[in-house]
mmCIF file of all heavy atoms in Angstrom:
data_model
loop_
_atom_site.group_PDB
_atom_site.id
_atom_site.type_symbol
_atom_site.label_atom_id
_atom_site.label_comp_id
_atom_site.label_asym_id
_atom_site.label_seq_id
_atom_site.Cartn_x
_atom_site.Cartn_y
_atom_site.Cartn_z
ATOM 1 N N GLU A 171 -18.231 -0.533 16.217
ATOM 2 C CA GLU A 171 -16.975 -0.283 16.881
ATOM 3 C C GLU A 171 -15.786 -0.067 16.002
ATOM 4 O O GLU A 171 -14.575 -0.018 16.547
ATOM 5 C CB GLU A 171 -16.666 -1.558 17.866
ATOM 6 C CG GLU A 171 -17.579 -1.707 18.987
ATOM 7 C CD GLU A 171 -18.852 -2.355 18.751
ATOM 8 O OE1 GLU A 171 -18.744 -3.401 18.007
ATOM 9 O OE2 GLU A 171 -19.840 -1.700 18.996
ATOM 10 N N ALA A 172 -15.973 0.092 14.767
ATOM 11 C CA ALA A 172 -14.781 -0.002 13.703
ATOM 12 C C ALA A 172 -14.468 1.468 13.229
ATOM 13 O O ALA A 172 -15.314 2.345 12.994
ATOM 14 C CB ALA A 172 -15.208 -0.790 12.504
ATOM 15 N N VAL A 173 -13.197 1.697 13.214
ATOM 16 C CA VAL A 173 -12.593 2.968 12.536
ATOM 17 C C VAL A 173 -12.126 2.505 11.240
ATOM 18 O O VAL A 173 -11.237 1.619 11.016
ATOM 19 C CB VAL A 173 -11.486 3.415 13.435
ATOM 20 C CG1 VAL A 173 -10.908 4.691 12.713
ATOM 21 C CG2 VAL A 173 -12.037 3.762 14.808
ATOM 22 N N ILE A 174 -12.618 3.227 10.175
ATOM 23 C CA ILE A 174 -12.369 2.749 8.781
ATOM 24 C C ILE A 174 -11.474 3.785 8.034
ATOM 25 O O ILE A 174 -11.788 4.961 8.198
ATOM 26 C CB ILE A 174 -13.663 2.564 8.077
ATOM 27 C CG1 ILE A 174 -14.589 1.545 8.641
ATOM 28 C CG2 ILE A 174 -13.510 2.235 6.690
ATOM 29 C CD1 ILE A 174 -16.023 1.566 8.090
ATOM 30 N N GLY A 175 -10.475 3.308 7.377
ATOM 31 C CA GLY A 175 -9.615 4.282 6.584
ATOM 32 C C GLY A 175 -10.331 4.295 5.205
ATOM 33 O O GLY A 175 -10.552 3.326 4.476
ATOM 34 N N LEU A 176 -10.668 5.524 4.775
ATOM 35 C CA LEU A 176 -11.382 5.814 3.564
ATOM 36 C C LEU A 176 -11.123 7.246 3.102
ATOM 37 O O LEU A 176 -11.222 8.159 3.863
ATOM 38 C CB LEU A 176 -12.875 5.641 3.812
ATOM 39 C CG LEU A 176 -13.853 5.921 2.702
ATOM 40 C CD1 LEU A 176 -13.856 4.675 1.687
ATOM 41 C CD2 LEU A 176 -15.347 6.124 3.234
ATOM 42 N N ASN A 177 -10.783 7.297 1.809
ATOM 43 C CA ASN A 177 -10.491 8.648 1.265
ATOM 44 C C ASN A 177 -11.971 9.426 0.990
ATOM 45 O O ASN A 177 -12.798 8.683 0.329
ATOM 46 C CB ASN A 177 -9.773 8.551 -0.064
ATOM 47 C CG ASN A 177 -9.345 9.845 -0.694
ATOM 48 O OD1 ASN A 177 -9.968 10.831 -0.544
ATOM 49 N ND2 ASN A 177 -8.062 9.754 -1.137
ATOM 50 N N GLY A 178 -12.105 10.571 1.340
ATOM 51 C CA GLY A 178 -13.272 11.180 1.167
ATOM 52 C C GLY A 178 -13.678 11.392 -0.236
ATOM 53 O O GLY A 178 -14.979 11.676 -0.626
ATOM 54 N N ARG A 179 -12.792 11.331 -1.198
ATOM 55 C CA ARG A 179 -13.090 11.512 -2.632
ATOM 56 C C ARG A 179 -14.039 10.461 -2.974
ATOM 57 O O ARG A 179 -14.954 10.674 -3.805
ATOM 58 C CB ARG A 179 -11.772 11.244 -3.340
ATOM 59 C CG ARG A 179 -11.830 11.460 -4.864
ATOM 60 C CD ARG A 179 -10.544 11.205 -5.524
ATOM 61 N NE ARG A 179 -9.441 12.103 -5.093
ATOM 62 C CZ ARG A 179 -9.298 13.433 -5.567
ATOM 63 N NH1 ARG A 179 -10.014 13.827 -6.457
ATOM 64 N NH2 ARG A 179 -8.199 14.029 -5.124
ATOM 65 N N TRP A 180 -14.047 9.223 -2.485
ATOM 66 C CA TRP A 180 -15.009 8.213 -2.868
ATOM 67 C C TRP A 180 -16.372 8.455 -2.448
ATOM 68 O O TRP A 180 -17.434 8.230 -3.155
ATOM 69 C CB TRP A 180 -14.580 6.799 -2.351
ATOM 70 C CG TRP A 180 -13.071 6.439 -2.569
ATOM 71 C CD1 TRP A 180 -12.153 6.202 -1.680
ATOM 72 C CD2 TRP A 180 -12.506 6.476 -3.877
ATOM 73 N NE1 TRP A 180 -10.959 5.992 -2.258
ATOM 74 C CE2 TRP A 180 -11.126 6.090 -3.663
ATOM 75 C CE3 TRP A 180 -12.893 6.653 -5.366
ATOM 76 C CZ2 TRP A 180 -10.164 6.102 -4.643
ATOM 77 C CZ3 TRP A 180 -11.965 6.602 -6.224
ATOM 78 C CH2 TRP A 180 -10.661 6.213 -6.038
ATOM 79 N N LEU A 181 -16.403 9.163 -1.200
ATOM 80 C CA LEU A 181 -17.830 9.576 -0.743
ATOM 81 C C LEU A 181 -18.323 10.691 -1.589
ATOM 82 O O LEU A 181 -19.617 10.693 -1.879
ATOM 83 C CB LEU A 181 -17.588 10.139 0.628
ATOM 84 C CG LEU A 181 -17.760 9.091 1.861
ATOM 85 C CD1 LEU A 181 -17.432 9.835 3.182
ATOM 86 C CD2 LEU A 181 -19.064 8.284 1.963
ATOM 87 N N ALA A 182 -17.442 11.613 -1.923
ATOM 88 C CA ALA A 182 -17.858 12.915 -2.676
ATOM 89 C C ALA A 182 -18.486 12.355 -4.034
ATOM 90 O O ALA A 182 -19.254 13.172 -4.471
ATOM 91 C CB ALA A 182 -16.715 13.819 -2.867
ATOM 92 N N ARG A 183 -17.917 11.262 -4.639
ATOM 93 C CA ARG A 183 -18.332 10.849 -5.996
ATOM 94 C C ARG A 183 -19.431 9.900 -5.847
ATOM 95 O O ARG A 183 -19.956 9.565 -6.962
ATOM 96 C CB ARG A 183 -17.130 10.121 -6.619
ATOM 97 C CG ARG A 183 -16.069 11.200 -6.980
ATOM 98 C CD ARG A 183 -15.043 10.602 -7.786
ATOM 99 N NE ARG A 183 -14.066 11.614 -8.138
ATOM 100 C CZ ARG A 183 -12.972 11.294 -8.819
ATOM 101 N NH1 ARG A 183 -12.698 10.058 -9.191
ATOM 102 N NH2 ARG A 183 -12.038 12.214 -9.095
ATOM 103 N N GLU A 184 -19.926 9.463 -4.674
ATOM 104 C CA GLU A 184 -20.982 8.545 -4.673
ATOM 105 C C GLU A 184 -22.354 9.140 -5.229
ATOM 106 O O GLU A 184 -22.713 10.281 -4.811
ATOM 107 C CB GLU A 184 -21.194 8.046 -3.248
ATOM 108 C CG GLU A 184 -22.327 6.875 -3.192
ATOM 109 C CD GLU A 184 -22.532 6.277 -1.884
ATOM 110 O OE1 GLU A 184 -22.385 7.064 -0.894
ATOM 111 O OE2 GLU A 184 -22.472 5.073 -1.771
ATOM 112 N N LYS A 185 -22.935 8.525 -6.041
ATOM 113 C CA LYS A 185 -24.107 8.998 -6.693
ATOM 114 C C LYS A 185 -25.463 8.479 -6.017
ATOM 115 O O LYS A 185 -26.491 8.965 -6.325
ATOM 116 C CB LYS A 185 -24.155 8.551 -8.253
ATOM 117 C CG LYS A 185 -23.114 9.407 -9.005
ATOM 118 C CD LYS A 185 -23.068 9.057 -10.494
ATOM 119 C CE LYS A 185 -21.832 9.628 -11.104
ATOM 120 N NZ LYS A 185 -20.582 8.895 -10.825
ATOM 121 N N ARG A 186 -25.326 7.307 -5.266
ATOM 122 C CA ARG A 186 -26.526 6.851 -4.707
ATOM 123 C C ARG A 186 -26.683 7.039 -3.154
ATOM 124 O O ARG A 186 -25.725 7.575 -2.547
ATOM 125 C CB ARG A 186 -26.570 5.297 -4.932
ATOM 126 C CG ARG A 186 -25.284 4.606 -4.807
ATOM 127 C CD ARG A 186 -25.355 3.181 -4.858
ATOM 128 N NE ARG A 186 -24.520 2.691 -3.909
ATOM 129 C CZ ARG A 186 -24.523 1.380 -3.500
ATOM 130 N NH1 ARG A 186 -25.128 0.577 -4.270
ATOM 131 N NH2 ARG A 186 -23.730 1.080 -2.509
#
Side-chain angles (χ1 to χ4, degrees):
E171 287 82 48
V173 179
I174 300 171
L176 180 74
N177 189 321
R179 190 182 296 279
W180 310 125
L181 276 177
R183 290 187 178 177
E184 185 174 43
K185 291 177 190 77
R186 38 175 227 174

